[in-house]
Amino acid sequence: TALPSQNVITGGTTLCNIDERCVFPTILRDPPPTTKLGACEEIFGPVLSVFAVSSEDDAVRRIQNTAGTPLALYVFTTSSRTFDRVIRQCPSGAVVRNDVVVHFAAVSVPVGGCGSSGCGRYHGKFGFDTFTHWRPVVFKPCHLLWEYGGLRYKPHDSFKQRALLALGRLPLVPTATSVKFSFVVFATMAFVLTNPVIKGAFVDVLRAIADFLDR
């Protein structure tokens, strides 16, 4: 759809050259929403649409009401409050403050889209991880000790639930210290919960520990 000349700030088709395959950089002011330029669709060319807004709220609302998620969001402001508000309320694949495109040159940060603008990310190891499937492999020894005294089996009561939550607080990194600590805890619980002689007394102790960890 052809745009009225008053919408063209600079550039335009008169400066383009088909034979030389040259598209002159063009800036448009408030293109109609019925056009691709006005609908803010992706434009792979040197064309920039500029929309006038009356306030910060109007700018945020316009971005939120635009279909899709932008590949990048460029926020020009000296106010950290304004910047934080915009990036909280306006999703995007990447954000740059007071500049454009430079994040593509920063190999230490991931670059990629979100939603309609793409998925995944690239740059060094980020690109490798995107195309790598991390397959979890879990090993459970075939020993009564690793049944945790039947905590995960029915009937489930409030004590079992709290005890399982307490187990979830144990260190996740398998260091030598954490492995020894976890082994002691598991061994103690397995012994106590499978021994009817001392189970009653020790359950009260475990309940107290669970209460403490729930705080």
Side-chain angles (χ1 to χ4, degrees), residues 93 103-113 119-134:
H103 62 295
F104 285 98
V107 296
S108 59
V109 298
V111 173
C119 61
R121 51 191 181 170
Y122 68 94
H123 267 178
K125 188 176 183 296
F126 299 109
F128 178 83
D129 290 340
T130 294
F131 295 100
T132 300
H133 171 70
W134 293 87

Side-chain angles (χ1 to χ4, degrees), residues 12 31 37 63 82 98 102 119 173 175 179 191 198 212 215:
L37 297 173
I63 297 173
T82 298
N98 297 334
V102 293
C119 61
V173 180
T175 61
V179 168
F191 173 73
I198 61 174
F212 176 78
R215 296 177 184 176

